[in-house]
Amino acid sequence: QVQLVEPGGGSVQPGGSLTLSCQASGSIFSLVAMGWYRPAPGQERELVATDAGGGNKHYTDYVRGRATSARDNSKNTVYLQMISLKPEDTAVYYCNADVKYYTNSGVKRSDYWGQGTQVTVSS
């Protein structure tokens, strides 16, 4: 139905920057929201940032001011630019999409996850 692909990620030195991207493909009617999560102690994943389009963006406290989300709706893609990276930003980042998609019985809505992309911040 819908697939999420996350190229990008990689290794950077502290203070560096990188941009994550996540592209959705499949029988997409509309992308309600796209976001990024990462594993956290005591919970499966914690929110990093979400982007519902139209300037409706939310960032968790530890990345606010250091992360910027942008969507290219023509490509069904969301980007997360992160600057001033810290070693504690090291994690696998998972893309999430709240998607309305076409089926034989009409439009349905569901949540999808990407495979995850590794970000390593180390000197």
Side-chain angles (χ1 to χ4, degrees):
Q1 296 154 340
V2 176
Q3 298 80 39
L4 301 182
V5 177
E6 306 175 43
S11 297
V12 296
Q13 294 187 338
S17 63
L18 57 77
T19 299
L20 306 180
S21 66
C22 175
Q23 183 173 35
S25 63
S27 304
I28 298 170
F29 175 77
S30 68
L31 293 170
V32 179
M34 300 184 79
W36 297 91
Y37 292 74
R38 69 180 201 178
Q43 54 185 304
E44 184 174 351
R45 291 170 186 169
E46 63 178 357
L47 173 69
V48 178
T50 60
D51 191 339
N56 186 2
K57 305 177 185 181
H58 173 77
Y59 303 97
T60 195
D61 287 346
Y62 63 80
V63 299
R64 189 172 292 117
R66 300 190 297 120
T68 303
S69 177
R71 284 176 55 163
D72 184 340
N73 291 327
S74 68
K75 297 180 180 179
N76 291 329
T77 298
V78 65
Y79 303 93
L80 184 68
Q81 180 187 39
M82 296 191 289
I83 65 172
S84 302
L85 284 161
K86 308 173 183 180
E88 49 265 43
D89 293 318
T90 296
V92 177
Y93 286 75
Y94 294 91
C95 176
N96 173 269
D98 180 357
V99 184
K100 292 182 178 179
Y101 59 96
Y102 295 102
T103 72
N104 290 335
S105 55
V107 175
K108 295 187 177 181
R109 181 174 176 176
S110 189
D111 222 39
Y112 291 89
W113 291 93
Q115 78 279 8
T117 186
Q118 177 69 48
V119 172
T120 302
V121 185
S122 173
S123 56

